[in-house]
Every structure is written in C-alpha cells, then in structure tokens.
Amino acid sequence: MFRHWMTAVTAVVLIAGCDEETTRPRDVIPPTPPRGVYSVTGDRRVDIHWLANTEGDVAGYKVFEAPCASGQSCPYKLVGVTAGTSFGVTGLANGATRYFAVAAYDRAGNESAPSLEDVYDTPRPAGFGLALAGFGASPATSGYDFSAFVVRPYDNQNADIFFGYGGSIYQMFAAFDDVLIQDAGYTHSLDEVDFAPTAGWSANGTVELIEGHSYVAWMTLDNHFAKFRVVSLTPAPARVVIDWAYQVDAGNRELVARPAALEGGRVRRPVVWLR
C-alpha cells in the first residue's frame, strides 16, 4: 500500500514538473547595447574595446564594420564574435576610414541593438625599431621621411625630422618650418597616443628626447600627422631607436605621397640646441 502511494506521488511530481517546463515563458528579452565602445588605430587593423554587459545571461558579443556611418546603401557586416570585451579587426586598408558597432547576445539567442557610440577609425602604417644616428657624426642616416617610410640625410628636401645629440641632451628636430612637433609625455606603448592634438607645438621646432616618451609631428605642407616613441638612446655613437606610425589619410588626426614642393622650396629651420 505504501509503495503504491509513493508511486502515485512520484508520478504527480513528474507530471507537474513537465507541465512547469512546458509552460515556462521563453526568454525573448535582448541584452542592452554594449557601452563604452572605443577603437585603437593599428597598421592595417583596428582594435575595438567595450565594457562588459551586466546581464547574467550574456553569452558573447558580435562586432560589425561598414565603410560609412549608416543607411541602406551602407549596411554593417559581421566581422567577428567573441566572449571577451575586445576584438581586433584585421586585413583593413591603411588610409581608409571604417565604422564599427558591437552587439551583445544572450544564451537564449536574443541579440541587442548595436552600440550607440559613433566609432570610426582609419588604419595607418607603422614601424618598429627604427634607428637614427646623430646628424653631427652620421648626417646620412639621421633624418626620417614619414611619407616614404625611409631614412634620409638630415638636410634632404624630404626629411621631416632628424636626430641630434649635443653632448648633454638628446633632441629631435623638425627639419622645416612646415613641420611641427611636440612631446606627448610618457607612454607604455605607441598605441597610447591615438589622436593628434591641435595645440601645444614646440615654438622652436625641437623637443628633448626621453626614453619612454611619445611625440607627435604634423607635416602641415600636406596636412599629415605622425607619431613616434623613443625606445632607447645611446651617446657613443649617438643613436635613437624609435617606434613610429604615419597617418596616410590627409587631415585625419587619427594617427600620399608628399605633393610637389611649393615654389621657392621649403623653409629649413635653424638648428637650436637645448641647454
């Protein structure tokens, strides 16, 4: 009798459980759009970062990109899925601006609306471990031409910057009056300087070089921006090693070949040693 009673109770519980399972409402509520989305410019790539969603059932994120901001003629396409809060979009063309958005999805398959931030970026060329010699002893290997990505003599018509050491202070010089330069301060990496400033340029076209500091240059003749970071400095022989990046998109401060020189040539800056 007791055994039959237990069997009946168990059946009732199982039936009730099945009914509860079949009547439970399906999750149709999507997560909120990801917040705090921003990009870091790279060489033929853009790294997208965002804040983690706070919903407990979020399973991951989808990253989208497009050649323009919005519109039916400019749809966003999916370029990656990740469970983390960052994603590197690779294989991009340097100098071409791309737009990005991020959506979150949950374990039930619900997908949020795209992120609200207007995130766009322009990949640019970069180089690492570039060595320049002091122009006093090695003038042929002391200058750099950002637009051609080559080392040039410090007095070459196409050199943008050149390196020198006066015996006490390491310096980088803006070669011509149409090149502006400034110290952006200490950085852990070149990527920490992601946007060229509009003010703060050196009045005399030279900056003191300090290991770990990053610097920004503005070639106003063709309106291009560049940046570099000092990796190391040595006095004998005088040498600086830098990492650099150049924005090939004219006028784009997100860190083309140079046009023909203006009639009369460029105005060379005098060398001003810091004391």
Side-chain angles (χ1 to χ4, degrees):
M1 180 68 180
F2 177 76
R3 185 187 312 168
H4 293 306
W5 179 79
M6 285 298 297
T7 302
V9 171
T10 302
V12 170
V13 170
L14 289 175
I15 294 171
C18 293
D19 289 343
E20 181 181 352
E21 191 66 32
T22 56
T23 58
R24 181 182 299 166
R26 188 171 65 88
D27 179 7
V28 295
I29 301 176
T32 58
R35 300 172 297 107
V37 183
Y38 70 93
S39 64
V40 176
T41 312
D43 185 357
R44 299 185 183 277
R45 69 177 289 153
V46 171
D47 289 285
I48 310 299
H49 304 266
W50 58 91
L51 298 174
N53 276 49
T54 57
E55 296 94 341
D57 63 341
V58 167
Y61 303 89
K62 296 181 179 180
V63 180
F64 302 85
E65 64 98 3
C68 50
S70 61
Q72 292 184 350
S73 61
C74 190
Y76 279 76
K77 69 174 183 178
L78 178 67
V79 291
V81 178
T82 178
T85 55
S86 64
F87 186 83
V89 183
T90 60
L92 302 175
N94 282 333
T97 300
R98 311 295 292 184
Y99 292 78
F100 301 93
V102 182
Y105 64 91
D106 61 23
R107 289 190 292 271
N110 301 305
E111 185 174 318
S112 75
S115 49
L116 302 178
E117 290 88 352
D118 186 18
V119 177
Y120 60 92
D121 213 314
T122 311
R124 77 291 178 273
F128 301 89
L130 171 69
L132 299 178
F135 77 92
S138 304
T141 56
S142 60
Y144 195 66
D145 179 351
F146 283 113
S147 63
F149 320 140
V150 296
V151 173
R152 297 192 186 276
Y154 84 100
D155 57 355
N156 183 276
Q157 179 70 14
N158 289 319
D160 296 310
I161 58 174
F162 63 91
F163 169 64
Y165 178 57
S168 60
I169 298 177
Y170 300 98
Q171 292 177 234
M172 192 70 81
F173 300 88
F176 294 90
D177 276 353
D178 52 57
V179 179
L180 304 180
I181 192 169
Q182 69 171 280
D183 186 345
Y186 181 81
T187 61
H188 289 91
S189 71
L190 189 65
D191 285 339
E192 288 186 31
V193 179
D194 197 38
F195 216 77
T198 58
W201 307 103
S202 168
N204 58 13
T206 186
V207 290
E208 179 181 359
L209 295 183
I210 302 172
E211 285 189 13
H213 277 226
S214 288
Y215 302 81
V216 181
W218 181 12
M219 281 59 72
T220 64
L221 180 65
D222 55 8
N223 198 23
H224 283 75
F225 296 89
K227 62 181 179 179
F228 62 93
R229 181 178 182 272
V230 175
V231 177
S232 65
L233 293 160
T234 52
R239 189 177 87 144
V240 62
V241 176
I242 64 173
D243 296 336
W244 62 271
Y246 173 74
Q247 181 52 268
V248 297
D249 185 23
N252 191 330
R253 293 182 178 272
E254 280 188 289
L255 311 154
V256 193
R258 190 188 310 284
L262 299 177
E263 186 176 352
R266 305 171 73 189
V267 179
R268 186 169 294 280
R269 288 186 185 273
V271 173
V272 178
W273 288 106
L274 299 175
R275 295 288 185 262

